[in-house]
Amino acid sequence: MSIGGWSRWAATVLASDPARNFRSGSVNAKGMRLVQTPAELRDFPDFVGGVMARWHVPGVAVAIARNGELVLCEGFGLRDVARGLPVTSRSLFAIGSATKAFTTMGLALLADEGKVDWDTPVRRYLPSFALHDPFASERITPRDLVTHRSGLPRHDALWYGGALSRAELVDRLRYLEPSKDFRAVWQYQNLMYMTAGYLTGELAGTTWEGFVQERIFDRLGMGGSNFSVTRSQQAEDAARPYREKDGQAEELPFRDLDAVGPAGSINSNAEDMVKWLLLHLNRGRHDGEAVVSEGQIAQMQAPQMVMPDPAKYAELSPASYGLGWFVQTYRGHSVVHHGGNIDGFSALVSLLPREKIGVVVLTNLNGVPVPEVVALQVYDRLLGLPEISWDDRFFAEQEERKQAGERGTEKAETDRVKGTHPSHDLDAYAGDYAHPGYGVAAVERRGDGLSLRFNAFEGPLRHLHYDVFDFTIDLFETRFTVSFATDVRGDIASFATPLEPTVPDVVFLRRPGAELTEPSFLSRFAGTFEVMGMRLTVALKGERTLQVSLPGQPDFELEPVKGTGFRLKGLSGFAIEFTIDETGAVVGALLTQPNGVFTARKTG
């Protein structure tokens, strides 16, 4: 049976026999018991089945708490379509950015112990920490890190699918350009949460994972939860990730988020997540004992930074951001929530603190609003409000986005300048290109075209016009332009691409071939040269760098260009090209300066 066909079949099965694909009966975990399902939720499986069918979602897990009790904890549909395995209340799902509240809870626990202060500069704890903006580097605090007001936009291409460690990512933040002034505007930012988790580990003398495991998971009895998809794939009861494609669910590979774990790597299940819900609904208490102070819970759930987006619907107020939570009102009721989306999974953790109602919705489909649809339906029912068809509203929004995307593709084709061609043979574009923050991108010759490889992304470069190509990331259905540029010699020297659309294009500079930095190659050019009666010395600095010295001038590092040509680092228009005789010996050099080209003779 096709996956699309299964989605339609699922709605019928769930409506006719709600217990068939659910885990039924009581849930016992450290004294927590599933009470009788309230009347408002008795036909809830029918609603969930209909939503799943419409959005082609393979599996969903839902947990609902009210007044300190678990009122529903069930699995719907399939966690593994190929093997026909059902979702249970213990099936593991990635919760994505709902992880962020665990990271702020970790800092809150340290704040209760006096080991960190929300408003003390991060540099007090991490002296080497730096951002592109020197002022922000000096003044940014833990509160700033977790309220999305660093001035940095997302810059997610730095980490997504990459192999850098957490410490390396923190070190590279200084090379990322901000799009706004520090503390001026709310801008969602995963890398700052990664930094907050790194800070937690440093202060606690462990790792972020170790601290959250001991102080939150173990304390609450969240025994099924973990921090890595590697662990999830080894579990017996784990959901597989999917995306919707052409009306069907297509399985995706698991995405490793270990390096940016504090921003979104937690995997959990409905039974565990309801304990997390109850901790917040009970103002920081678990089993009658305080896990974290009520004051810290109040800070987490209080508005810290106003979000600039206007409210689209009258029932939902404009949102603010707390400490790891979005804060707004729904039909006059205060709601605290955070969603999560990562390859193949969409999740939501949401609570009404005053009414002591909380909902967790976990799904194994990429980028769908099903968690929001289900949670808002629960609120309408338990609050006794007239039900709103959020499913219809969100579905209409999705159709608008699809149409906009199609129009964007059509416009890109219209804007294409026909009849043009690249300025060089395609072989001239091949090579490695580097950015100090983003790292290395490789352009390769493949068949009769070019391909680009960067982190986990790899695919063809399609020629648009002149020296501009485009690159499509299939998972996100996103196209990037890649515009190559030449140096003064006419050689391909760099490419620019809008990896972060809110700042100027990110520029990757061409790296010399590996052979041009080999000691055996560079050592040939070491020696003394005479030019216009002056002595010029070229020496090997370390093993892979040449350095040139002139009397009365500072030493300059030589950067390989190609062949035997080098440029003087930091000086525009200055270069050296060594000359070789028929025996392969270095006999001299041509020195290029803005005022001319001078010949040097090798003397030693």
Side-chain angles (χ1 to χ4, degrees):
M1 180 180 293
S2 71
I3 296 174
W6 174 84
S7 294
R8 292 188 292 275
W9 167 82
T12 303
V13 172
L14 297 179
S16 61
D17 186 5
R20 180 167 177 174
N21 282 325
F22 306 158
R23 172 185 169 87
S24 59
S26 300
V27 175
N28 291 292
K30 289 201 171 184
M32 186 171 59
R33 182 177 178 81
L34 178 64
V35 300
Q36 184 175 358
T37 302
E40 300 95 325
L41 299 176
R42 281 177 186 163
D43 64 345
F44 188 64
D46 297 352
F47 173 81
V48 175
V51 173
M52 290 171 65
R54 186 174 201 178
W55 294 91
H56 309 286
V57 177
V60 175
V62 181
I64 303 172
R66 181 169 68 173
N67 296 326
E69 296 178 320
L70 180 61
V71 299
L72 185 143
C73 191
E74 297 180 351
F76 303 73
L78 301 177
R79 70 179 189 266
D80 187 326
V81 174
R83 295 193 293 166
L85 299 177
V87 174
T88 77
S89 59
R90 293 180 181 172
S91 296
L92 284 169
F93 293 78
I95 70 169
S97 286
T99 297
K100 289 179 170 64
F102 287 85
T103 297
T104 55
M105 176 64 79
L107 285 172
L109 291 168
L110 291 173
D112 275 345
E113 297 171 3
K115 293 181 179 177
V116 70
D117 181 84
W118 287 110
D119 301 308
T120 294
V122 170
R123 272 197 172 173
R124 185 77 60 85
Y125 310 111
L126 300 175
S128 63
F129 175 80
L131 297 175
H132 192 277
D133 177 2
F135 179 78
S137 300
E138 294 289 343
R139 301 305 304 161
I140 194 168
T141 67
R143 191 185 302 276
D144 296 317
L145 293 179
V146 300
T147 52
H148 304 299
R149 61 191 191 193
S150 66
L152 281 175
R154 296 181 72 116
H155 282 296
D156 283 337
L158 170 62
W159 61 267
Y160 190 89
L164 295 174
S165 69
R166 197 168 298 165
E168 289 172 324
L169 288 172
V170 171
D171 185 62
R172 292 195 183 194
L173 294 174
R174 68 196 68 200
Y175 302 115
L176 304 182
E177 189 168 350
S179 58
K180 300 292 182 182
D181 285 341
F182 176 51
R183 291 180 184 162
V185 177
W186 183 92
Q187 295 184 110
Y188 198 79
Q189 230 294 329
N190 288 304
L191 289 165
M192 293 298 97
Y193 262 87
M194 176 273 300
T195 304
Y198 179 75
L199 172 63
T200 299
E202 292 294 296
L203 292 174
T206 179
T207 62
W208 170 79
E209 288 86 350
F211 186 79
V212 172
Q213 178 71 52
E214 178 183 354
R215 300 295 298 276
I216 301 177
F217 286 0
D218 293 349
R219 182 69 179 81
L220 301 183
M222 296 176 66
S225 303
N226 67 61
F227 304 94
S228 174
V229 293
T230 301
R231 286 277 306 278
S232 288
Q233 292 175 78
Q234 296 168 354
E236 292 184 4
D237 192 351
R240 307 291 302 181
Y242 300 89
R243 68 168 172 176
E244 188 273 329
K245 190 172 180 66
D246 299 327
Q248 297 188 356
E250 176 183 82
E251 187 167 343
L252 294 172
F254 282 90
R255 175 64 58 194
D256 184 338
L257 300 176
D258 291 358
V260 291
S265 73
I266 288 177
N267 307 288
S268 192
N269 58 51
E271 289 188 18
D272 278 5
M273 289 302 293
V274 80
K275 300 168 188 175
W276 173 245
L277 266 183
L278 289 169
L279 176 70
H280 288 272
L281 290 171
N282 294 333
R283 310 298 292 175
R285 301 184 73 82
H286 174 73
D287 284 346
E289 297 180 359
V291 174
V292 66
S293 68
E294 188 170 340
Q296 293 293 339
I297 290 288
Q299 285 203 68
M300 288 183 227
Q301 298 179 6
Q304 305 281 336
M305 191 69 180
V306 175
M307 295 169 57
D309 298 329
K312 186 170 185 177
Y313 299 105
E315 297 85 1
L316 287 163
S317 71
S320 296
Y321 201 82
L323 302 179
W325 296 96
F326 292 92
V327 183
Q328 61 187 138
T329 63
Y330 176 60
R331 305 179 80 172
H333 299 266
S334 296
V335 58
V336 177
H337 60 94
H338 210 298
N341 284 281
I342 196 62
D343 303 27
F345 296 97
S346 301
L348 178 69
V349 182
S350 182
L351 54 142
L352 303 177
R354 292 176 183 169
E355 291 77 12
K356 296 190 178 300
I357 296 172
V359 186
V360 172
V361 186
L362 309 174
T363 76
N364 59 344
L365 194 72
N366 193 69
V368 289
V370 168
E372 289 79 5
V373 170
V374 172
L376 293 173
Q377 172 74 191
V378 170
Y379 289 154
D380 285 348
R381 291 180 177 218
L382 295 185
L383 294 171
L385 299 171
E387 295 176 20
I388 295 173
S389 182
W390 288 103
D391 195 22
D392 289 339
R393 290 183 177 183
F394 291 153
F395 196 80
E397 286 185 13
Q398 176 188 250
E399 291 303 305
E400 289 179 13
R401 285 192 292 270
K402 282 184 178 179
Q403 293 173 14
E406 291 169 359
R407 289 193 296 270
T409 300
E410 292 171 0
K411 188 173 189 308
E413 286 301 315
T414 301
D415 292 343
R416 185 179 183 187
V417 182
K418 305 296 192 299
T420 63
H421 55 80
S423 62
H424 292 61
D425 291 337
L426 292 184
D427 287 337
Y429 299 84
D432 289 343
Y433 297 76
H435 179 273
Y438 280 91
V440 178
V443 176
E444 300 172 352
R445 183 69 188 269
R446 293 281 179 88
D448 59 356
L450 295 172
S451 70
L452 175 67
R453 176 167 41 84
F454 174 67
N455 286 349
F457 308 124
E458 183 172 4
L461 285 172
R462 185 179 74 100
H463 182 248
L464 286 178
H465 44 239
Y466 304 112
D467 280 340
V468 181
F469 297 73
D470 78 5
F471 177 71
T472 299
I473 298 176
D474 181 58
L475 176 62
F476 305 120
E477 298 179 345
T478 300
R479 296 170 62 181
F480 292 92
T481 57
V482 177
S483 178
F484 289 90
T486 61
D487 59 19
V488 294
R489 296 164 56 99
D491 297 324
I492 301 297
S494 66
F495 74 75
T497 184
L499 288 179
E500 174 47 60
T502 63
V503 299
D505 287 359
V506 178
V507 177
F508 288 75
L509 299 179
R510 186 167 195 153
R511 298 175 71 177
E515 71 280 1
L516 300 185
T517 59
E518 288 293 331
S520 59
F521 174 78
L522 296 176
S523 61
R524 301 169 58 201
F525 308 113
T528 56
F529 298 77
E530 183 179 307
V531 55
M532 297 181 66
M534 293 186 297
R535 183 178 177 179
L536 180 150
T537 302
V538 177
L540 197 59
K541 179 183 177 183
E543 292 188 346
R544 297 183 179 272
T545 304
L546 283 179
Q547 175 178 282
V548 61
S549 303
L550 276 168
Q553 297 291 328
D555 294 340
F556 290 98
E557 184 177 317
L558 296 182
E559 294 180 322
V561 179
K562 68 177 183 178
T564 62
F566 296 76
R567 67 170 66 92
L568 274 65
K569 185 175 182 178
L571 291 181
S572 178
F574 290 80
I576 295 180
E577 183 173 356
F578 295 97
T579 54
I580 311 293
D581 67 13
E582 62 277 2
T583 68
V586 177
V587 295
L590 294 177
L591 280 61
T592 300
Q593 299 181 185
N595 61 334
V597 177
F598 302 87
T599 301
R601 180 174 57 89
K602 193 170 190 295
T603 59

